[in-house]
Amino acid sequence: IVPDVARTVSMDLKAAGSRIYLVGATRPELGGSHYLDLLGKEGGTVPRPDLGIAPAILRAVHAAIRSGTVLSCHDLSEGGLAVAAAEMAFAGELGLEIDLARMGLVGVQAGEKGFDPDATRLYSQSCSRFLVEVAEGSAAAFENALSGLPCTAIGRTTSDGRLRIRGSAGLVLADVDIEELRRAFQGGFQG
């Protein structure tokens, strides 16, 4: 039951110039993902909720939504960060800039053979993670509400209608018009 439907938060981006936060820990959990399926690979680690911190994350995000500091919010389950960012951008008809270098990774060994840190950041389906849009004027209140929990500002919304993703080494990985993303989402893979 939703006590006040007027206070719900949808996934569509609301305003240019907002901060974008990643809430929750990103682990190399790609088992069962569309990403591995597209690569023709099997295996990988299946996402598991961290029951020690998940309830606190859920309570804190819910409290931030109730307080009015959250403009939009999307879970990162199916498809991970890349899919959530694209859906939020084309749903709100706004652009989005993401910097993967700002994201940490949990449970990864440095120099691990075959490990792609950017693919993990983009497509991990770790549980209890959210992409959250917060107005610049509400950023301090939001950060305070999430204090002590994994929460990092990783980008901004823009008015130019493009999704730009910069990788962990600083290279531009994607710079795509949101209308192209919308067509791909609605029409399926045509490659």
Side-chain angles (χ1 to χ4, degrees):
I1 297 174
V2 177
D4 184 356
V5 107
R7 296 181 71 179
T8 60
V9 171
S10 59
M11 73 169 183
D12 51 306
L13 296 176
K14 303 299 188 288
S18 300
R19 289 191 194 185
I20 297 295
Y21 290 87
L22 172 67
V23 176
T26 302
R27 295 176 173 77
E29 296 177 316
L30 297 164
S33 68
H34 293 297
Y35 173 72
L36 288 185
D37 187 47
L38 286 171
L39 293 178
K41 294 184 178 183
E42 293 182 8
T45 302
V46 174
R48 290 181 45 179
D50 180 344
L51 299 179
I53 196 165
I57 290 171
L58 297 173
R59 280 191 300 273
V61 170
H62 184 251
I65 289 170
R66 276 196 344 251
S67 75
T69 60
V70 174
L71 296 176
S72 65
C73 183
H74 196 332
D75 69 289
L76 274 65
S77 55
E78 189 175 7
L81 172 69
V83 172
E87 289 176 345
M88 291 176 82
F90 68 68
E93 298 183 356
L94 287 168
L96 185 53
E97 294 178 350
I98 301 287
D99 184 353
L100 299 182
R102 294 180 176 201
M103 289 176 62
L105 289 172
V106 176
V108 177
Q109 302 298 322
E112 197 171 316
K113 184 179 179 178
F115 173 72
D116 182 337
D118 287 335
T120 299
R121 285 176 171 96
L122 287 169
Y123 302 110
S124 170
Q125 297 185 155
S126 296
C127 300
S128 305
R129 293 184 314 142
F130 300 91
L131 205 53
V132 181
E133 178 189 10
V134 176
E136 186 65 37
S138 298
F142 180 76
E143 290 173 10
N144 187 52
L146 275 288
S147 179
L149 297 170
C151 176
T152 306
I154 63 167
R156 289 208 172 274
T157 58
T158 65
S159 60
D160 66 1
R162 299 193 69 76
L163 174 61
R164 288 183 189 85
I165 300 174
R166 186 171 300 279
S168 57
L171 301 174
V172 174
L173 302 178
D175 186 350
V176 185
D177 185 278
I178 62 168
E179 289 309 315
E180 186 177 335
L181 292 171
R182 184 189 326 270
R183 284 191 300 274
F185 179 79
Q186 292 173 338
F189 182 67
Q190 303 296 316

